[in-house]
Amino acid sequence: EAGVTQSPTHLIKTRGQQATLRCSPISGHTSVYWYQQALGLGLQFLLWYDEGEERNRGNFPPRFSGRQFPNYSSELNVNALELEDSALYLCASSPDGNYGYTFGSGTRLTVV
Amino acid sequence: AQSVAQPEDQVNVAEGNPLTVKCTYSVSGNPYLFWYVQYPNRGLQFLLKYITGDNLVKGSYGFEAEFNKSQTSFHLKKPSALVSDSALYFCAVRDVSNYQLIWGAGTKLIIKP
């Protein structure tokens, strides 16, 4: 069974540009979660999608947005990039909250 | 409010010694508790979970965790630490209102040869 896949692995952008990060969940998982992790620190919750709908949102500005497609894959878009957006962005999927999440390996976003 | 606390930012243990990484939680009802490990520049890997049953839960890589309801704790343990256990460890509890996981801040475990 394929795990959660994220692309690209690394992404370098210039301040003010837009970044698009992608996530494919485990087959059968309908929920996708996005987290930001800066400098190997804690996880900051960004977004939760389930069945194509945004279910919850963390304390991030509106320039962080995303969507979930009919096949349950997801995109995270970050507009007007700032230097402090440089971080590891982790995607996780779950069939439901009872059994925890499965994480992808992350996308390392560097803003220069 | 529901929450998870990992009171130690870092734990240092000599190789071969037992290790404990602490986690306490606050949640209404019966808790669903999880431990994950993160190696550098990688995603989180599931170690173990407690949902119900035996208070001592065994997981991957020789780790185990003890659920203590009276102390609202779920400490991660291993009888004999390996250098390769050095990583960042996260404790999490399920939010009873929406099934999201609430995460602790993480504990950096350093095993010295």
Side-chain angles (χ1 to χ4, degrees), chain A residues 22-42:
Chain A
R22 297 178 176 84
C23 173
S24 292
I26 288 176
S27 177
H29 288 193
T30 61
S31 280
V32 171
Y33 307 83
W34 287 96
Y35 289 88
Q36 182 194 67
Q37 186 181 32
L39 295 173
L41 299 176

Side-chain angles (χ1 to χ4, degrees), chain A residues 35 37 56 98 101 108, chain B residues 36 38 41 94 100-101 103:
Chain A
Y35 289 88
Q37 186 181 32
N56 201 3
N98 292 338
Y101 301 168
R108 171 71 63 185
Chain B
Y36 285 77
Q38 184 182 32
N41 294 311
R94 188 190 70 166
Q100 272 189 256
L101 293 187
W103 296 89

Side-chain angles (χ1 to χ4, degrees), chain A residues 58-79:
Chain A
N59 188 25
F60 280 83
R63 59 190 184 83
F64 287 83
S65 65
R67 55 180 172 169
Q68 187 177 35
F69 299 98
N71 66 354
Y72 303 118
S73 66
S74 177
E75 273 184 3
L76 173 68
N77 294 294
V78 188
N79 294 319

Side-chain angles (χ1 to χ4, degrees), chain B residues 41-59:
Chain B
N41 294 311
R42 302 292 294 173
L44 278 68
Q45 296 178 30
F46 171 80
L47 277 178
L48 50 81
K49 67 177 184 284
Y50 173 83
I51 295 177
T52 187
D54 195 345
N55 289 344
L56 185 63
V57 180
K58 294 190 182 297

Side-chain angles (χ1 to χ4, degrees), chain B residues 26-44:
Chain B
S26 174
V27 65
S28 57
N30 295 321
Y32 284 27
L33 296 155
F34 304 83
W35 275 103
Y36 285 77
V37 60
Q38 184 182 32
Y39 298 101
N41 294 311
R42 302 292 294 173
L44 278 68

